[in-house]
Amino acid sequence: IPVQQATANPETGEAIETSEQSNTIATKKKPGDFHFGKIIGSGSYSEVVLAQEKCSGKEFAIKILEKSHIIKYKKVPTVTREKEVLQKLDHPFFVRLFFTFQDKERLYFGLTYAKKGELLHYIKRVGCFDILATQFYSAEIVVALEYMHSLGMIHRDLKPENILLGADMHILITDFGTAKILDEGQKDCKANSFVGTAEYVSPELLTAKSACKASDIWALGCIVYQLLAGKPPFHATTEYLVFQRITKLDLNIPGGFPEKGSDLVTKLLVLDPTKRLGSENFGGYEPLKMHDFYQGINWEQLHKMEPPLIQ
Ligand SMILES: Nc1ncnc2c1ncn2[C@@H]1O[C@H](COP(=O)(O)OP(=O)(O)OP(=O)(O)O)[C@@H](O)[C@H]1O
Ligand SMILES: O=C(O)[C@@H]1CCC(=O)N(CCc2ccc(Cl)cc2)[C@H]1c1ccccc1Cl
């Protein structure tokens, strides 16, 4: 039915979106359209529930947020940012947002169901990854970061908990409430308040209170180190000591750490963000993708490959 203007849902006041392209009304879904199953996980302001859409049988991870809770903890900007970023992302290595809806009390996000959970779970289970698995999974993260940065967005809280795995064991990056969307042509972030998770925080955020795309590259360096060593590079008993180790670059490469891995890690964990391999001021992603550690990686085919066993 050719639809000229959107109408509103009398109950929630929410606009009934029209999808111009197919010139039809994509009516808003509602809780009753789903069979809700097990709770997959819960966050500070949310619960993620496995749900099956009755009419299609499709499975989704539906993230449910209580409006009263979001308002009480002043997280409305976080929630709207998460939706804004999710809507812009369209790539196999990112959790996809299929739909949103709301009722009086809650907001609902229909997401890709990452059936195999968090990458962190696998690191804990096997202790540390072998070179092949580290090469493959860190290469998928490189491809994901290159894509996200190409859209002028910075994740700012990249860590193994936020790198989920689909049924096919490829990565699905999530958690975008604290991401940053750079203004048109803006290169770096001006000072801002958000600080990520201690062990993956970049030195520039601690010293200059500003994060940039290269801050995600720093987090990548921490993750490559952690995959090979089993622990993140700047581990300490208190947050203050973690920050001290980061700003001093108190990095020690343990014995037995693979040679190619340590060369890559030392080129990623550089205090000056403009001197980090992969930083846009340091030649961008090509030099990083050309590093010896990634010899043999077919960058265009990664998401079609059968992931190596994690062992
Ligand atoms: N699309 C998904 N598929 C499978 N599991 C998911 C998905 N999204 C989130 N989870 C899991 O559900 C849990 C809660 O995720 P959620 O995003 O609601 O909160 P969080 O980001 O983990 O916590 P916080 O909001 O405090 O940062 C997490 O453990 C996460 O691993
Ligand atoms: O941003 C959007 O696209 C819509 C716009 C229309 C709308 O009403 N909402 C909900 C806005 C909102 C956010 C937080 C609270 Cl606590 C209450 C309402 C937004 C929304 C709807 C469903 C799920 C998430 C969001 Cl942010």
Side-chain angles (χ1 to χ4, degrees):
I1 339 158
V3 183
Q4 298 321 317
Q5 75 292 328
T7 50
N9 174 325
E11 228 160 78
T12 62
E14 161 124 349
I16 295 179
E17 291 168 348
T18 63
S19 48
E20 236 60 67
Q21 300 85 334
S22 56
N23 205 4
T24 58
I25 294 184
T27 40
K28 274 287 170 191
K29 298 178 187 301
K30 56 189 182 306
D33 296 340
F34 300 88
H35 289 302
F36 286 97
K38 66 175 182 177
I39 291 187
I40 303 170
S42 50
S44 323
Y45 322 97
S46 52
E47 279 207 325
V48 181
V49 185
L50 183 56
Q52 183 178 42
E53 188 180 32
K54 290 173 184 170
C55 65
S56 68
K58 284 181 186 165
E59 225 178 27
F60 297 97
I62 298 191
K63 182 165 175 171
I64 306 171
L65 303 101
E66 290 293 328
K67 291 180 178 177
S68 56
H69 202 65
I70 298 169
I71 293 166
K72 181 178 167 194
Y73 292 97
K74 301 184 175 24
K75 289 294 172 184
V76 175
T78 305
V79 171
T80 45
R81 169 67 52 80
E82 181 169 23
K83 183 174 184 210
E84 192 184 354
V85 172
L86 277 167
Q87 270 174 332
K88 288 177 190 263
L89 294 169
D90 176 19
H91 187 281
F93 292 162
F94 289 86
V95 162
R96 186 174 152 194
L97 176 65
F98 291 94
F99 53 80
T100 61
F101 54 87
Q102 60 179 310
D103 55 26
K104 236 158 46 51
E105 302 81 25
R106 285 172 288 278
L107 302 174
Y108 301 79
F109 288 72
L111 302 166
T112 315
Y113 173 36
K115 207 174 175 83
K116 298 287 187 182
E118 301 177 0
L119 180 66
L120 179 68
H121 165 78
Y122 291 84
I123 301 172
K124 287 184 172 171
R125 200 164 76 181
V126 299
C128 54
F129 284 20
D130 63 18
I131 293 222
L132 199 63
T134 302
Q135 196 193 44
F136 177 85
Y137 280 102
S138 64
E140 293 212 329
I141 300 168
V142 169
V143 169
L145 286 184
E146 182 178 29
Y147 170 78
M148 187 168 191
H149 291 168
S150 73
L151 297 180
M153 298 196 284
I154 307 171
H155 188 286
R156 298 204 294 181
D157 196 14
L158 195 68
K159 54 182 177 177
E161 294 93 316
N162 290 336
I163 300 169
L164 306 184
L165 295 159
D168 59 6
M169 285 302 280
H170 286 275
I171 65 167
L172 288 165
I173 293 180
T174 187
D175 211 356
F176 302 98
T178 50
K180 182 79 190 164
I181 302 174
L182 296 170
D183 304 328
E184 283 304 307
Q186 181 190 354
K187 275 179 83 67
D188 291 349
C189 273
K190 49 195 176 304
N192 50 63
S193 58
F194 174 71
V195 176
T197 305
E199 294 183 319
Y200 305 87
V201 161
S202 59
E204 61 272 13
L205 194 67
L206 294 172
T207 53
K209 285 193 63 51
S210 86
C212 52
K213 291 179 182 176
S215 306
D216 285 340
I217 297 285
W218 174 275
L220 168 71
C222 293
I223 294 167
V224 174
Y225 180 104
Q226 182 173 359
L227 290 176
L228 289 171
K231 272 260 169 260
F234 307 106
H235 190 66
T237 47
T238 69
E239 208 166 78
Y240 176 79
L241 290 171
V242 169
F243 292 161
Q244 208 175 46
R245 290 196 60 191
I246 291 167
T247 49
K248 282 174 22 190
L249 196 65
D250 170 14
L251 169 70
N252 44 47
I253 307 280
F257 200 89
E259 175 54 37
K260 288 180 183 177
S262 60
D263 185 70
L264 175 64
V265 163
T266 42
K267 286 173 178 161
L268 294 172
L269 297 179
V270 171
L271 288 181
D272 180 346
T274 65
K275 301 261 185 323
R276 255 167 237 157
L277 192 60
S279 165
E280 57 191 349
N281 320 71
F282 204 63
Y285 277 90
E286 270 329 295
L288 169 53
K289 294 162 100 170
M290 300 290 282
H291 189 278
D292 211 15
F293 185 71
Y294 292 116
Q295 189 186 17
I297 285 282
N298 182 335
W299 294 96
E300 282 66 38
Q301 298 303 314
L302 270 176
H303 78 287
K304 291 183 193 127
M305 278 174 61
E306 177 65 29
L309 270 182
I310 293 177
Q311 53 188 358

